[in-house]
Amino acid sequence: MIKFHGFSKVKTAVFISGTGSNLKNLIKFSLSKKSPIEIVFVISSNSKAKGLDHAKNYGIRSKVFQSKNKKIDENKILKILNKKNVNLICLAGYMKILSKNFIMRFNGTILNIHPSLLPKYKGLNTHERAIQNKEKQSGCTVHFVNFKLDSGKIILQKKVKISKSDTPKKLSKKILKQEHKLYPKAIMKLFSNL
Ligand code: GAR
């Protein structure tokens, strides 16, 4: 459990690559009184990420790192996060794999949301694969990030029924709706020693 003494909110950075609906949702959550987190920075791996607009709209600083040199990018990111006293990282649709070195620097304080019921369907194209395999249900998972892709300790999961008429797009929409409930819930759970 992450220690939080209730005096000030935990400074949090959100990492994105795309639409940023989870980012927007986390920003809204962070602004509520009960939220233990404050989002102080947004990192994007893509300059065209729509999510960057959400950061801008809420007055949160953001920066894009999309060079081919991961080590250089990560070192720059670490410098920013240190400067901003960030203690928690929330990956929200961040499609780059963080290095071991980076994960070690934030040991135990990087969270990720994944659109499947882990340990099933790690990696990409989760909805396509779940439908193809005729699964009756899928869902989403919030988990800690460790050195193995989508394999860290699970914090919370939510199941979603797959209906016969579901396409990957339809299923993704249904699951995303649940993701928006699950991520704040998982964060509340982590800080529930208040
Ligand atoms: C979400 O469904 C998230 O679970 C998924 O990307 C989407 C981002 O949506 N993440 C992964 O697949 C990570 N492996 P958003 O940009 O609207 O939050």
Side-chain angles (χ1 to χ4, degrees):
M1 196 184 289
I2 293 172
K3 289 224 163 68
F4 171 58
H5 301 293
F7 301 118
S8 57
K9 294 193 177 196
V10 175
K11 293 194 190 317
T12 301
V14 181
F15 286 26
I16 61 164
S17 298
T19 316
S21 71
N22 275 293
L23 166 66
K24 188 178 178 190
N25 181 63
L26 283 178
I27 294 174
K28 283 188 175 168
F29 164 67
S30 74
L31 295 173
S32 70
K33 213 175 158 195
K34 66 170 187 192
S35 162
I37 66 161
E38 175 195 2
I39 297 170
V40 295
F41 214 88
V42 171
I43 299 285
S44 174
S45 66
N46 172 8
S47 61
K48 295 195 176 81
K50 259 180 71 188
L52 285 166
D53 292 340
H54 300 311
K56 201 172 164 196
N57 292 341
Y58 283 91
I60 298 169
R61 288 197 58 191
S62 63
K63 212 160 170 158
V64 177
F65 290 93
Q66 56 182 3
S67 88
K68 286 204 172 74
N69 192 325
K70 180 144 98 175
K71 202 169 171 189
I72 292 181
D73 274 359
E74 285 190 348
N75 283 337
K76 286 183 186 165
I77 294 173
L78 281 170
K79 264 195 188 150
I80 293 176
L81 302 188
N82 263 335
K83 211 171 137 195
K84 296 271 170 194
N85 293 317
V86 165
N87 284 314
L88 179 72
I89 295 174
C90 292
L91 306 184
Y94 187 66
M95 300 317 265
K96 271 200 170 166
I97 296 174
L98 294 166
S99 72
K100 260 190 179 178
N101 173 60
F102 188 97
I103 293 169
M104 244 153 54
R105 293 283 290 272
F106 271 86
N107 199 9
T109 54
I110 307 178
L111 313 182
N112 182 39
I113 187 148
H114 185 76
S116 79
L117 292 175
L118 290 173
K120 278 193 159 180
Y121 304 111
K122 296 172 184 175
L124 299 175
N125 306 319
T126 54
H127 310 308
E128 285 85 342
R129 288 187 283 146
I131 289 173
Q132 214 160 40
N133 287 345
K134 303 203 177 346
E135 297 280 2
K136 294 215 162 49
Q137 59 178 25
S138 188
C140 45
T141 305
V142 177
H143 64 95
F144 285 106
V145 170
N146 67 5
F147 298 151
K148 268 179 92 184
L149 183 70
D150 299 328
S151 299
K153 189 171 178 245
I154 291 170
I155 302 162
L156 276 183
Q157 287 189 310
K158 175 76 184 170
K159 288 177 186 156
V160 172
K161 259 191 169 174
I162 301 179
S163 45
K164 287 223 168 80
S165 60
D166 273 344
T167 58
K169 206 174 162 188
K170 271 190 189 168
L171 182 60
S172 140
K173 239 180 148 177
K174 279 202 298 199
I175 291 179
L176 204 52
K177 211 171 151 192
Q178 295 306 320
E179 290 184 33
H180 296 161
K181 292 184 187 159
L182 196 71
Y183 219 158
K185 228 172 146 183
I187 291 170
M188 288 303 285
K189 186 181 171 193
L190 279 183
F191 293 100
S192 62
N193 59 334
L194 271 182

